[in-house]
């Protein structure tokens, strides 16, 4: 279990872009699958995207396909989420997560979680 710190959130207008970063420590990053989840007020936490070892595989929620891109830099122990064409419905706290198991990341049971970063998209 490692320590994850997200950054890059903020308040933007619809159509804008943001890039979230998640810096990892205390784990063998290259051996971890990483992902992003989000939770809007009054809603359940939901899967956004995941990336496998060495970035070989990526998966996205249908709601963000074509707009969000997940990537990783193993040399920096960092995973990114590039968010383009943001919509008001993307407003949420975004959480970084990781686990050695890709399945665990996808279903939200990863052993490492960050504290979250707020993304607010105004109309």
């Amino acid at each position: 279990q490692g320590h994850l710190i997200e950054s890059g959130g903020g308040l933007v207008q619809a159509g804008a872009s943001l890039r979230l970063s998640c810096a990892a420590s205390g784990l063998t990053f290259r051996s971890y699958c990483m992902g992003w989840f989000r939770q809007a007020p009054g809603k359940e936490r939901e899967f956004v995207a995941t990336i496998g070892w060495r970035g070989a595989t990526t998966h996205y929620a249908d709601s963000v396909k074509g707009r969000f891109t997940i990537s990783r830099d193993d040399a920096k122990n960092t995973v990114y989420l590039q968010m383009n064409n943001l919509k008001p419905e993307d407003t949420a706290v975004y959480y970084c997560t990781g686990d050695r198991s890709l399945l665990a990341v996808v279903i939200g049971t990863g052993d490492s979680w960050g504290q979250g970063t707020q993304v607010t998209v105004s109309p």
Side-chain angles (χ1 to χ4, degrees), residues 3-121:
H3 187 53
L4 305 178
I5 301 177
E6 303 96 334
S7 61
L11 171 63
V12 297
Q13 289 188 324
S17 298
L18 279 176
R19 188 176 81 155
L20 304 183
S21 299
C22 171
S25 60
L27 53 80
T28 305
F29 186 75
R30 65 181 182 276
S31 298
Y32 265 62
C33 301
M34 302 298 297
W36 291 93
F37 278 68
R38 67 186 182 185
Q39 187 167 21
K43 295 188 176 181
E44 297 287 322
R45 188 176 296 188
E46 65 173 2
F47 167 79
V48 175
T50 188
I51 187 166
W53 307 291
R54 299 187 303 276
T57 59
T58 57
H59 301 280
Y60 298 92
D62 287 343
S63 58
V64 306
K65 274 182 185 175
R67 299 188 299 121
F68 291 12
T69 302
I70 189 170
S71 62
R72 64 189 294 160
D73 185 338
D74 288 353
K76 295 182 178 180
N77 287 3
T78 301
V79 61
Y80 304 97
L81 185 68
Q82 177 66 43
M83 306 185 294
N84 297 329
N85 190 22
L86 283 160
K87 304 176 180 180
E89 51 264 43
D90 295 319
T91 295
V93 177
Y94 283 71
Y95 297 91
C96 177
T97 182
D99 197 279
R100 292 180 184 272
S101 163
L102 180 61
L103 176 61
V105 174
V106 171
I107 66 175
T109 61
D111 64 14
S112 301
W113 287 84
Q115 82 290 346
T117 185
Q118 177 71 47
V119 172
T120 303
V121 184

